[in-house]
Amino acid sequence: MPWCFVEMERDSLIAHGGSAFIKETFFDMSDVYQVNVCEKCGGIISSAKECRACKKIDIARVNIPYCTKLLFQELQAMGVSININVK
């Protein structure tokens, strides 16, 4: 049976120093996904060669949850610009 936490359990674990446990449970064990992000403009790019928007080759690999990647894609399809700060 998968872990099922609700808001009060999450808050109590945070209060008792369980942030590493929460990160592992909700991020590392679930759906880690790596994306290439341009360090200058913060845009998600498809290839690790260069950014099409700003023509720079400063690329970083960032871990994000897969559901966040899907959310970003849906927002971009609606015309909302997504920028990720790599610093």
Side-chain angles (χ1 to χ4, degrees), residues 10 13 21 25-26 32 52 54 56-59 64 67 72 74 79-80:
R10 178 185 58 91
L13 283 172
F21 173 74
T25 303
F26 292 119
V32 176
R52 292 182 185 176
C54 64
K56 297 291 181 183
I57 58 170
D58 299 328
I59 309 287
I64 61 173
C67 59
F72 287 171
E74 289 187 16
V80 177

Side-chain angles (χ1 to χ4, degrees), residues 5-37:
F5 282 89
V6 290
E7 191 172 349
M8 290 179 65
E9 285 83 1
R10 178 185 58 91
D11 290 343
S12 67
L13 283 172
I14 290 172
H16 290 92
S19 61
F21 173 74
I22 291 173
K23 179 189 174 287
E24 179 186 14
T25 303
F26 292 119
F27 182 70
D28 296 333
M29 290 178 12
S30 64
D31 56 356
V32 176
Y33 188 78
Q34 288 187 342
V35 293
N36 297 320
V37 176

Side-chain angles (χ1 to χ4, degrees), residues 38-81:
C38 177
E39 291 182 1
K40 184 176 183 231
C41 68
I44 297 173
I45 58 176
S46 59
S47 67
K49 295 178 183 174
E50 73 173 5
C51 179
R52 292 182 185 176
C54 64
K55 304 296 184 205
K56 297 291 181 183
I57 58 170
D58 299 328
I59 309 287
R61 291 192 62 94
V62 177
N63 291 333
I64 61 173
Y66 190 77
C67 59
T68 304
K69 180 207 125 334
L70 292 175
L71 173 66
F72 287 171
Q73 285 179 331
E74 289 187 16
L75 289 172
Q76 288 173 342
M78 291 188 292
V80 177
S81 176

